[in-house]
Amino acid sequence: MTDSDPQHAELPELVTQLLAAEQPAATADKAQQREAIIAALNGAVLLEFATIPPYLTALWTIKDERHPLANSLRNILQEEMLHLALVCNMLVSIGGEPQISSAAPTYPGKLPLGVHPELIVPLGRFSKRMLDVFIEIERPKDVPPDQAILQEEGEQDQDGEEFTIGQLYGEILASFRALDPEFSQDRQVTGPLAWIPILSLEDVEKAIEIIERQGEGSTGQPEERRGYLAHYWRFAEMHRLQRMEKGADGKWAFGTAIAFDFNADVWPVGDVPEGGYQLDPASEPEARHLLHQFNIHYSKLLDYLQATWSGPAGQAMILMALEEMFELEKFAKPLMRIARPDGQNYSPDFRYLLPSER
């Protein structure tokens, strides 16, 4: 993909297109409206996927995979996959096709579509610094009153002029309502990865409401459903090492401490360098082997995700994609035990390999 592709457009430009697409069909060409929404949804696909490698990397660096923080982060990842699937279903429902394997993100790098444009997303270990990044990714457009708790500790650098993920979805929903398109179930998937097919405007509203409520664009209370906090607040809990608790007065505040040591309980993984690793096969054979095998399976994962919404065998392809996702951990965790020359440990660099490079 090139910078001129629609899914890589800067968000202000894309929002302008979407605002035009929100005009009634009588005053705007429906084909152009549809193309604007397809471009925005393709960008949203990349945006959803871009969160998965940094969240996965942080999860794998936690030594005790059964620790409550690891469980919370694992749940966030499952919901991010749900968001990805819902957006892909929205996209194909109006005749689009997601671009996943051909537009894989690189790290460190910026989020797609100019969302939080000053934010650089690295791949690194679970730490307060990394959680600062995650909190900013999930930051709502309309800051809940409780955010003052975060600001007191300097965890947020609010700009107010930035576009957020929630704003993007708000424009997408408004454009869907204006277009009022016909929906097709062809190439949509259902099941544990995607809760609902998109067959009506009500389904679009439901899908976007799920995405926003769970974390991206959430403007309500910290609890997105009984017993489950939205992503933004879960990351805040991790950063503070305190549970968010609802008092008798109905207000939320940080309370019970969470036992965790960001040094002793995390593998000393260093950030992935720009451009990924270039390892010497003679001096670093084990790390090079594990890294290459990881990237082979990661590339297959992207190919299967692409095929899921691009052809008739989507349900079968999604099962193969899930198998590849489980394979990644087999190579990532041993890699994270190997020291780099600088004394920190390696981690996957999530590079997409062409078939000829595998």
Side-chain angles (χ1 to χ4, degrees), residues 28-331:
D29 183 79
K30 294 193 73 170
Q32 291 179 340
Q33 290 181 329
R34 181 176 285 102
E35 288 305 309
I37 300 173
I38 286 173
L41 287 171
N42 245 319
V45 168
L46 301 183
L47 194 55
E48 296 293 349
F49 187 82
T51 66
I52 294 174
Y55 292 178
L56 265 180
T57 300
L59 171 64
W60 287 331
T61 66
I62 299 174
K63 291 181 179 180
D64 180 3
E65 64 183 23
R66 294 173 295 181
H67 191 282
L69 294 185
N71 290 335
S72 183
L73 186 46
R74 191 176 294 109
N75 187 259
I76 288 172
L77 277 158
Q78 292 167 350
E79 291 180 345
E80 293 295 351
M81 287 299 296
L82 167 64
H83 301 170
L84 175 70
L86 290 174
V87 176
C88 286
N89 275 356
M90 281 189 269
L91 180 57
V92 299
S93 75
I94 57 171
E97 182 174 312
Q99 304 301 314
I100 299 175
S101 58
S102 59
T106 57
Y107 303 91
K110 296 186 176 184
L111 293 172
L113 297 179
V115 170
H116 302 304
E118 302 304 317
L119 185 66
I120 302 298
V121 181
L123 296 177
R125 65 178 173 266
F126 187 75
S127 64
K128 287 203 171 190
R129 177 184 65 91
M130 192 62 67
L131 287 167
D132 282 337
V133 174
F134 297 169
I135 288 170
E136 182 66 8
I137 289 173
E138 304 284 0
R139 175 167 59 81
K141 170 182 177 289
D142 298 319
V143 182
D146 292 293
Q147 185 171 356
I149 299 172
L150 298 181
Q151 291 175 322
E152 286 172 4
E153 295 204 349
E155 296 168 21
Q156 296 291 312
D157 182 15
Q158 290 286 100
D159 186 326
E161 299 300 321
E162 290 186 7
F163 284 97
T164 66
I165 296 174
Q167 286 175 287
L168 174 62
Y169 280 114
E171 295 296 344
I172 289 172
L173 178 56
S175 297
F176 260 109
R177 287 169 172 161
L179 179 61
D180 192 17
E182 294 183 4
F183 294 89
S184 169
Q185 194 169 358
D186 291 347
R187 296 182 287 126
Q188 293 195 52
V189 300
T190 55
L193 188 64
W195 294 350
I196 55 173
I198 306 300
L199 304 176
S200 65
L201 280 174
E202 289 76 16
D203 293 333
V204 173
E205 292 168 353
K206 186 185 299 182
I208 289 178
E209 193 267 338
I210 289 171
I211 294 170
E212 292 187 339
R213 191 184 68 234
Q214 288 183 344
E216 288 148 340
S218 174
T219 59
Q221 291 296 313
E223 195 174 47
E224 57 98 354
R225 67 183 190 276
R226 188 172 181 83
Y228 291 88
L229 294 179
H231 298 180
Y232 176 77
W233 295 104
R234 288 194 224 172
F235 285 134
E237 279 190 322
M238 297 176 196
H239 196 291
R240 290 287 294 261
L241 293 181
Q242 288 180 282
R243 295 288 183 198
M244 282 218 71
E245 298 167 346
K246 192 174 185 179
D249 59 359
K251 295 182 179 180
W252 288 85
F254 291 103
T256 305
I258 301 171
F260 190 82
D261 187 319
F262 281 103
N263 292 315
D265 295 334
V266 178
W267 293 104
V269 166
D271 285 5
V272 170
E274 188 169 355
Y277 289 106
Q278 304 295 327
L279 302 184
D280 184 349
S283 62
E284 301 165 294
E286 184 179 5
R288 187 174 186 272
H289 169 73
L290 290 170
L291 187 64
H292 186 63
Q293 289 300 312
F294 179 95
N295 284 333
I296 288 174
H297 287 280
Y298 173 64
S299 301
K300 289 180 180 179
L301 165 64
L302 266 64
D303 289 344
Y304 289 140
L305 287 175
Q306 178 70 49
T308 295
W309 286 277
S310 300
Q315 293 288 158
M317 290 293 102
I318 198 61
L319 295 176
M320 297 178 75
L322 290 173
E323 288 179 6
E324 290 297 338
M325 181 168 286
F326 287 116
E327 285 292 310
L328 296 180
E329 189 172 331
K330 296 180 182 179
F331 302 99

Side-chain angles (χ1 to χ4, degrees), residues 6-18:
Q7 56 265 41
H8 286 282
E10 288 298 309
L11 189 55
E13 177 185 344
L14 188 57
V15 168
T16 299
Q17 297 174 18
L18 289 173

